[in-house]
Amino acid sequence: MALVSTAMRRFCAFGAGLCMALVFLVIFGNASRRYLFGEAVAWGEELSIYLTIYGVMFGFALAYLTDANIRFSVLTDALSQRTRRLLFAGVDAVTVATGVALAWSGILFGVRRADRDASGLSSLADSWAQATGLPILEWLGRMGPWQFAIAFGGVLLTISAAIRFCERLADIREGSA
């Protein structure tokens, strides 16, 4: 389980870092272009918003994996170590179910809006599709791939909570041995 947990932490950390780096580059490039040439690219603001959303999804999964999420511990600190571990394992189980529900609702949300144009990105996606000869790239100009961030976050949360649940169960077994 340690190998799976480490791999997932690295994946989430890389994804969050990559999204933040891309957001920085897009905003820096757009601001530079605005001040140097007097005009910004139309897709810069919208793309940075969507990249930030994906970055947040990676980040909250990483926070859950590292147990660095916000927790009010006034009541749980009064519990015994074993009871606290059981409680947190129960929270992990509920979070798995919540992640599944979030992923499902994200899929439904994304499917409903999959064919709508993302106004700032449609021209960029169309030009990429024409330049590469890959019409599939036109899909990046639709709302679908960006709205699926909710489903993606739900899947990441489900996996992260399942990993933490397994780790807590192992801790409970070791603690009682």
Side-chain angles (χ1 to χ4, degrees):
M1 183 51 65
L3 182 64
V4 172
S5 180
T6 300
M8 186 65 176
R9 288 176 194 202
R10 287 183 179 168
F11 173 72
C12 289
F14 178 79
L18 178 64
C19 286
M20 294 310 296
L22 290 173
V23 167
F24 171 79
L25 289 174
V26 168
I27 291 173
F28 180 76
N30 212 17
S32 298
R33 183 179 161 109
R34 183 180 303 118
Y35 291 113
L36 293 174
F37 302 111
E39 64 181 43
V41 292
W43 48 265
E45 186 175 332
E46 193 168 358
L47 182 60
S48 62
I49 290 169
Y50 295 138
L51 287 171
T52 300
I53 293 168
Y54 271 98
V56 167
M57 298 302 169
F58 279 113
F60 80 66
L62 180 62
Y64 201 92
L65 276 169
T66 59
D67 217 14
N69 50 315
I70 297 172
R71 175 182 311 148
F72 294 104
S73 61
V74 173
L75 297 176
T76 58
D77 286 347
L79 301 173
S80 70
Q81 186 73 0
R82 179 168 172 73
T83 304
R84 189 177 321 139
R85 287 177 177 168
L86 288 170
L87 175 66
F88 290 159
V91 168
D92 292 335
V94 169
T95 304
V96 167
T98 303
V100 169
L102 182 63
W104 179 247
S105 66
I107 289 168
L108 294 177
F109 183 66
V111 166
R112 280 195 203 127
R113 300 176 55 105
D115 60 341
R116 293 187 184 164
D117 281 346
S119 58
L121 295 174
S122 59
S123 62
L124 175 67
D126 291 343
S127 66
W128 281 354
Q130 287 175 352
T132 61
L134 299 171
I136 190 83
L137 292 178
E138 291 175 355
W139 193 56
L140 293 174
R142 308 284 184 265
M143 292 297 290
W146 310 110
Q147 298 298 330
F148 274 109
I150 297 168
F152 181 72
V155 169
L156 287 178
L157 181 61
T158 300
I159 294 168
S160 298
I163 290 170
R164 287 300 296 156
F165 179 74
C166 292
E167 289 175 342
R168 288 193 211 277
L169 288 182
D171 287 346
I172 290 168
R173 274 186 245 124
E174 289 174 9
S176 61

